[in-house]
Short mmCIF file of all heavy atoms in Angstrom, two decimals:
data_model
loop_
_atom_site.label_atom_id
_atom_site.label_comp_id
_atom_site.label_asym_id
_atom_site.label_seq_id
_atom_site.Cartn_x
_atom_site.Cartn_y
_atom_site.Cartn_z
N ILE Y 68 -53.05 217.71 23.46
CA ILE Y 68 -53.68 218.04 22.17
C ILE Y 68 -52.59 218.05 21.10
O ILE Y 68 -51.59 218.75 21.23
CB ILE Y 68 -54.37 219.41 22.24
CG1 ILE Y 68 -55.40 219.44 23.37
CG2 ILE Y 68 -55.05 219.75 20.90
CD1 ILE Y 68 -55.88 220.85 23.72
N TYR Y 69 -52.79 217.26 20.07
CA TYR Y 69 -51.83 217.19 18.96
C TYR Y 69 -52.52 217.69 17.68
O TYR Y 69 -53.72 217.46 17.47
CB TYR Y 69 -51.33 215.77 18.77
CG TYR Y 69 -50.51 215.26 19.93
CD1 TYR Y 69 -51.12 214.66 21.03
CD2 TYR Y 69 -49.13 215.41 19.92
CE1 TYR Y 69 -50.36 214.22 22.10
CE2 TYR Y 69 -48.36 214.96 21.00
CZ TYR Y 69 -48.98 214.37 22.08
OH TYR Y 69 -48.23 213.93 23.14
N TYR Y 70 -51.74 218.36 16.83
CA TYR Y 70 -52.31 218.86 15.58
C TYR Y 70 -51.19 219.07 14.56
O TYR Y 70 -50.00 219.13 14.91
CB TYR Y 70 -53.06 220.17 15.81
CG TYR Y 70 -52.19 221.34 16.22
CD1 TYR Y 70 -51.74 222.27 15.27
CD2 TYR Y 70 -51.82 221.54 17.55
CE1 TYR Y 70 -50.95 223.34 15.65
CE2 TYR Y 70 -51.03 222.61 17.93
CZ TYR Y 70 -50.59 223.52 16.97
OH TYR Y 70 -49.79 224.58 17.34
N THR Y 71 -51.59 219.18 13.30
CA THR Y 71 -50.66 219.50 12.21
C THR Y 71 -51.02 220.87 11.67
O THR Y 71 -52.18 221.13 11.32
CB THR Y 71 -50.74 218.47 11.07
OG1 THR Y 71 -50.38 217.18 11.58
CG2 THR Y 71 -49.80 218.85 9.93
N LEU Y 72 -50.04 221.75 11.62
CA LEU Y 72 -50.24 223.10 11.10
C LEU Y 72 -49.52 223.21 9.75
O LEU Y 72 -48.33 222.90 9.65
CB LEU Y 72 -49.67 224.13 12.08
CG LEU Y 72 -49.68 225.59 11.62
CD1 LEU Y 72 -51.10 226.08 11.40
CD2 LEU Y 72 -48.96 226.47 12.66
N ALA Y 73 -50.25 223.63 8.73
CA ALA Y 73 -49.66 223.81 7.39
C ALA Y 73 -49.92 225.23 6.92
O ALA Y 73 -50.97 225.81 7.21
CB ALA Y 73 -50.27 222.81 6.41
N ASP Y 74 -48.96 225.77 6.20
CA ASP Y 74 -49.12 227.09 5.59
C ASP Y 74 -48.26 227.13 4.34
O ASP Y 74 -47.04 226.90 4.41
CB ASP Y 74 -48.72 228.20 6.55
CG ASP Y 74 -49.03 229.58 6.00
OD1 ASP Y 74 -48.20 230.12 5.25
OD2 ASP Y 74 -50.12 230.10 6.30
N ALA Y 75 -48.88 227.40 3.19
CA ALA Y 75 -48.17 227.35 1.91
C ALA Y 75 -47.02 228.34 1.84
O ALA Y 75 -46.07 228.15 1.09
CB ALA Y 75 -49.15 227.61 0.76
N ASP Y 76 -47.11 229.43 2.61
CA ASP Y 76 -46.07 230.45 2.61
C ASP Y 76 -45.05 230.26 3.74
O ASP Y 76 -44.15 231.07 3.90
CB ASP Y 76 -46.70 231.83 2.75
CG ASP Y 76 -47.87 232.02 1.80
OD1 ASP Y 76 -47.65 231.89 0.60
OD2 ASP Y 76 -48.99 232.27 2.28
N ASN Y 77 -45.26 229.19 4.56
CA ASN Y 77 -44.41 228.92 5.72
C ASN Y 77 -44.39 230.09 6.70
O ASN Y 77 -43.39 230.38 7.35
CB ASN Y 77 -42.97 228.57 5.29
CG ASN Y 77 -42.23 227.78 6.35
OD1 ASN Y 77 -42.81 226.91 7.00
ND2 ASN Y 77 -40.95 228.07 6.53
N ASP Y 78 -45.54 230.77 6.79
CA ASP Y 78 -45.64 231.89 7.73
C ASP Y 78 -45.72 231.40 9.17
O ASP Y 78 -46.26 230.34 9.45
CB ASP Y 78 -46.91 232.70 7.44
CG ASP Y 78 -46.86 233.43 6.10
OD1 ASP Y 78 -45.74 233.74 5.66
OD2 ASP Y 78 -47.93 233.69 5.54
N LYS Y 79 -45.20 232.22 10.09
CA LYS Y 79 -45.48 232.00 11.49
C LYS Y 79 -46.95 232.29 11.75
O LYS Y 79 -47.52 233.23 11.17
CB LYS Y 79 -44.61 232.91 12.37
CG LYS Y 79 -43.14 232.56 12.39
CD LYS Y 79 -42.39 233.51 13.31
CE LYS Y 79 -40.92 233.17 13.40
NZ LYS Y 79 -40.20 234.10 14.30
N CYS Y 80 -47.57 231.52 12.62
CA CYS Y 80 -49.01 231.65 12.87
C CYS Y 80 -49.29 231.89 14.34
O CYS Y 80 -48.47 231.57 15.21
CB CYS Y 80 -49.75 230.40 12.42
SG CYS Y 80 -49.60 230.04 10.65
N THR Y 81 -50.46 232.43 14.61
CA THR Y 81 -50.98 232.52 15.96
C THR Y 81 -51.98 231.39 16.14
O THR Y 81 -52.96 231.30 15.40
CB THR Y 81 -51.66 233.87 16.21
OG1 THR Y 81 -50.68 234.91 16.07
CG2 THR Y 81 -52.25 233.93 17.62
N VAL Y 82 -51.73 230.52 17.11
CA VAL Y 82 -52.57 229.34 17.34
C VAL Y 82 -53.34 229.52 18.64
O VAL Y 82 -52.79 229.98 19.64
CB VAL Y 82 -51.71 228.05 17.40
CG1 VAL Y 82 -52.57 226.84 17.76
CG2 VAL Y 82 -51.02 227.83 16.06
N SER Y 83 -54.61 229.17 18.60
CA SER Y 83 -55.44 229.27 19.80
C SER Y 83 -56.38 228.08 19.86
O SER Y 83 -56.56 227.36 18.87
CB SER Y 83 -56.26 230.57 19.78
OG SER Y 83 -57.10 230.62 18.65
N ILE Y 84 -56.94 227.84 21.05
CA ILE Y 84 -57.93 226.78 21.19
C ILE Y 84 -59.16 227.34 21.89
O ILE Y 84 -59.09 228.33 22.62
CB ILE Y 84 -57.40 225.54 21.94
CG1 ILE Y 84 -57.14 225.87 23.41
CG2 ILE Y 84 -56.17 224.98 21.27
CD1 ILE Y 84 -56.83 224.62 24.24
N ALA Y 85 -60.28 226.70 21.61
CA ALA Y 85 -61.53 227.01 22.30
C ALA Y 85 -62.19 225.69 22.66
O ALA Y 85 -61.94 224.66 22.02
CB ALA Y 85 -62.44 227.85 21.42
N VAL Y 86 -63.02 225.73 23.68
CA VAL Y 86 -63.65 224.51 24.18
C VAL Y 86 -65.16 224.71 24.22
O VAL Y 86 -65.65 225.78 24.59
CB VAL Y 86 -63.12 224.15 25.58
CG1 VAL Y 86 -63.80 222.90 26.12
CG2 VAL Y 86 -61.59 223.96 25.54
N SER Y 87 -65.88 223.66 23.83
CA SER Y 87 -67.34 223.65 23.91
C SER Y 87 -67.77 222.59 24.92
O SER Y 87 -67.15 221.53 25.03
CB SER Y 87 -67.94 223.32 22.54
OG SER Y 87 -69.32 223.05 22.63
N ASN Y 88 -68.84 222.85 25.65
CA ASN Y 88 -69.40 221.85 26.57
C ASN Y 88 -70.77 221.36 26.11
O ASN Y 88 -71.51 220.78 26.88
CB ASN Y 88 -69.49 222.41 27.99
CG ASN Y 88 -70.42 223.62 28.08
OD1 ASN Y 88 -70.99 224.05 27.08
ND2 ASN Y 88 -70.55 224.15 29.28
N ASN Y 89 -71.09 221.63 24.81
CA ASN Y 89 -72.39 221.20 24.29
C ASN Y 89 -72.28 220.68 22.86
O ASN Y 89 -73.05 221.06 21.99
CB ASN Y 89 -73.41 222.35 24.36
CG ASN Y 89 -72.90 223.62 23.68
OD1 ASN Y 89 -71.91 223.60 22.96
ND2 ASN Y 89 -73.60 224.73 23.90
N ASP Y 90 -71.31 219.80 22.64
CA ASP Y 90 -71.11 219.15 21.34
C ASP Y 90 -70.81 220.14 20.21
O ASP Y 90 -71.09 219.86 19.05
CB ASP Y 90 -72.32 218.30 20.95
CG ASP Y 90 -72.38 216.98 21.71
OD1 ASP Y 90 -71.31 216.38 21.91
OD2 ASP Y 90 -73.48 216.56 22.11
N GLY Y 91 -70.25 221.29 20.52
CA GLY Y 91 -69.85 222.24 19.49
C GLY Y 91 -70.91 223.23 19.09
O GLY Y 91 -70.69 224.01 18.15
N SER Y 92 -72.03 223.26 19.78
CA SER Y 92 -73.06 224.26 19.46
C SER Y 92 -72.56 225.67 19.75
O SER Y 92 -72.83 226.61 18.99
CB SER Y 92 -74.33 223.99 20.26
OG SER Y 92 -74.92 222.76 19.88
N THR Y 93 -71.85 225.84 20.84
CA THR Y 93 -71.22 227.12 21.16
C THR Y 93 -69.81 226.84 21.69
O THR Y 93 -69.53 225.75 22.19
CB THR Y 93 -72.02 227.90 22.22
OG1 THR Y 93 -72.13 227.11 23.42
CG2 THR Y 93 -73.40 228.25 21.70
N TRP Y 94 -68.95 227.85 21.56
CA TRP Y 94 -67.56 227.71 22.01
C TRP Y 94 -67.28 228.83 23.01
O TRP Y 94 -66.63 229.82 22.71
CB TRP Y 94 -66.62 227.78 20.81
CG TRP Y 94 -66.88 226.70 19.82
CD1 TRP Y 94 -67.73 226.75 18.77
CD2 TRP Y 94 -66.31 225.40 19.82
NE1 TRP Y 94 -67.73 225.55 18.10
CE2 TRP Y 94 -66.86 224.70 18.72
CE3 TRP Y 94 -65.38 224.74 20.64
CZ2 TRP Y 94 -66.52 223.39 18.42
CZ3 TRP Y 94 -65.03 223.44 20.33
CH2 TRP Y 94 -65.59 222.77 19.25
N THR Y 95 -67.77 228.66 24.21
CA THR Y 95 -67.73 229.73 25.21
C THR Y 95 -66.60 229.60 26.21
O THR Y 95 -66.40 230.48 27.05
CB THR Y 95 -69.07 229.77 25.97
OG1 THR Y 95 -69.30 228.49 26.58
CG2 THR Y 95 -70.22 230.09 25.03
N ILE Y 96 -65.85 228.50 26.15
CA ILE Y 96 -64.78 228.27 27.11
C ILE Y 96 -63.44 228.56 26.45
O ILE Y 96 -63.06 227.89 25.48
CB ILE Y 96 -64.80 226.82 27.63
CG1 ILE Y 96 -66.16 226.51 28.27
CG2 ILE Y 96 -63.67 226.60 28.63
CD1 ILE Y 96 -66.38 225.04 28.53
N THR Y 97 -62.75 229.58 26.94
CA THR Y 97 -61.42 229.92 26.44
C THR Y 97 -60.40 229.63 27.51
O THR Y 97 -60.36 230.31 28.54
CB THR Y 97 -61.35 231.41 26.05
OG1 THR Y 97 -62.34 231.70 25.07
CG2 THR Y 97 -59.98 231.75 25.49
N PRO Y 98 -59.58 228.60 27.33
CA PRO Y 98 -58.58 228.26 28.35
C PRO Y 98 -57.67 229.44 28.66
O PRO Y 98 -57.28 230.19 27.77
CB PRO Y 98 -57.80 227.11 27.71
CG PRO Y 98 -58.80 226.47 26.78
CD PRO Y 98 -59.58 227.62 26.22
N SER Y 99 -57.35 229.61 29.93
CA SER Y 99 -56.49 230.72 30.34
C SER Y 99 -55.05 230.46 29.93
O SER Y 99 -54.60 229.31 29.86
CB SER Y 99 -56.56 230.89 31.86
OG SER Y 99 -56.17 229.70 32.52
N PRO Y 100 -54.29 231.52 29.63
CA PRO Y 100 -52.89 231.33 29.23
C PRO Y 100 -52.08 230.53 30.24
O PRO Y 100 -51.19 229.76 29.85
CB PRO Y 100 -52.38 232.77 29.10
CG PRO Y 100 -53.60 233.58 28.79
CD PRO Y 100 -54.70 232.93 29.57
N SER Y 101 -52.38 230.69 31.54
CA SER Y 101 -51.60 229.99 32.56
C SER Y 101 -51.84 228.49 32.55
O SER Y 101 -51.03 227.73 33.10
CB SER Y 101 -51.94 230.56 33.94
OG SER Y 101 -53.31 230.32 34.26
N SER Y 102 -52.93 228.04 31.91
CA SER Y 102 -53.24 226.61 31.89
C SER Y 102 -52.68 225.92 30.65
O SER Y 102 -52.81 224.70 30.51
CB SER Y 102 -54.76 226.41 31.93
OG SER Y 102 -55.36 226.82 30.71
N LEU Y 103 -52.04 226.68 29.75
CA LEU Y 103 -51.59 226.16 28.47
C LEU Y 103 -50.08 226.22 28.34
O LEU Y 103 -49.43 227.14 28.83
CB LEU Y 103 -52.22 226.97 27.33
CG LEU Y 103 -53.74 226.93 27.21
CD1 LEU Y 103 -54.22 227.99 26.25
CD2 LEU Y 103 -54.20 225.55 26.76
N SER Y 104 -49.54 225.24 27.65
CA SER Y 104 -48.12 225.24 27.30
C SER Y 104 -47.96 224.51 25.98
O SER Y 104 -48.90 223.90 25.47
CB SER Y 104 -47.28 224.58 28.39
OG SER Y 104 -47.66 223.23 28.58
N GLY Y 105 -46.77 224.57 25.41
CA GLY Y 105 -46.54 223.93 24.12
C GLY Y 105 -46.67 224.91 22.98
O GLY Y 105 -46.39 226.11 23.13
N TYR Y 106 -47.11 224.43 21.84
CA TYR Y 106 -47.18 225.23 20.62
C TYR Y 106 -48.52 225.95 20.55
O TYR Y 106 -49.43 225.59 19.81
CB TYR Y 106 -46.95 224.36 19.39
CG TYR Y 106 -45.53 223.85 19.29
CD1 TYR Y 106 -45.15 222.66 19.90
CD2 TYR Y 106 -44.55 224.58 18.61
CE1 TYR Y 106 -43.84 222.19 19.82
CE2 TYR Y 106 -43.24 224.13 18.52
CZ TYR Y 106 -42.90 222.93 19.14
OH TYR Y 106 -41.60 222.48 19.05
N ILE Y 107 -48.63 227.00 21.35
CA ILE Y 107 -49.84 227.78 21.48
C ILE Y 107 -49.42 229.25 21.54
O ILE Y 107 -48.34 229.57 22.03
CB ILE Y 107 -50.64 227.39 22.75
CG1 ILE Y 107 -51.99 228.12 22.84
CG2 ILE Y 107 -49.80 227.61 24.00
CD1 ILE Y 107 -53.03 227.55 21.95
N GLY Y 108 -50.25 230.15 21.01
CA GLY Y 108 -49.91 231.56 21.00
C GLY Y 108 -49.30 231.98 19.68
O GLY Y 108 -49.55 231.37 18.63
N SER Y 109 -48.48 233.00 19.70
CA SER Y 109 -47.92 233.57 18.47
C SER Y 109 -46.61 232.91 18.07
O SER Y 109 -46.00 232.16 18.84
CB SER Y 109 -47.72 235.08 18.65
OG SER Y 109 -46.84 235.33 19.73
N ASN Y 110 -46.19 233.20 16.83
CA ASN Y 110 -44.89 232.76 16.29
C ASN Y 110 -44.75 231.25 16.24
O ASN Y 110 -43.68 230.70 16.56
CB ASN Y 110 -43.75 233.38 17.09
CG ASN Y 110 -43.72 234.89 17.01
OD1 ASN Y 110 -43.94 235.45 15.93
ND2 ASN Y 110 -43.48 235.54 18.13
N ILE Y 111 -45.82 230.55 15.83
CA ILE Y 111 -45.78 229.10 15.69
C ILE Y 111 -45.54 228.74 14.24
O ILE Y 111 -46.34 229.09 13.37
CB ILE Y 111 -47.09 228.45 16.19
CG1 ILE Y 111 -47.42 228.93 17.62
CG2 ILE Y 111 -46.98 226.93 16.12
CD1 ILE Y 111 -46.38 228.61 18.65
N TYR Y 112 -44.45 228.07 13.95
CA TYR Y 112 -44.16 227.64 12.59
C TYR Y 112 -44.97 226.39 12.23
O TYR Y 112 -45.34 225.60 13.11
CB TYR Y 112 -42.67 227.32 12.42
CG TYR Y 112 -41.83 228.51 12.03
CD1 TYR Y 112 -40.83 228.98 12.87
CD2 TYR Y 112 -42.03 229.16 10.82
CE1 TYR Y 112 -40.04 230.07 12.52
CE2 TYR Y 112 -41.25 230.25 10.45
CZ TYR Y 112 -40.26 230.70 11.29
OH TYR Y 112 -39.50 231.78 10.93
#
């Protein structure tokens, strides 16, 4: 997953993802921390 994060104040951000299995009608799937790596979680510039 690639993305661009912008913040006018250059603040550190908390980044998260959610997953839908019905074209975005609901977002009930939250990936577990152990399944994620990269620029995810807190202190993301």
Side-chain angles (χ1 to χ4, degrees):
I68 304 166
Y69 294 87
Y70 67 97
T71 299
L72 175 63
D74 187 274
D76 312 302
N77 202 39
D78 292 333
K79 290 181 178 180
C80 299
T81 298
V82 175
S83 60
I84 68 170
V86 178
S87 169
N88 61 0
N89 54 12
D90 284 321
S92 295
T93 59
W94 300 89
T95 58
I96 303 167
T97 302
S99 58
S101 63
S102 70
L103 297 168
S104 61
Y106 291 89
I107 185 78
S109 59
N110 297 319
I111 307 300
Y112 272 117

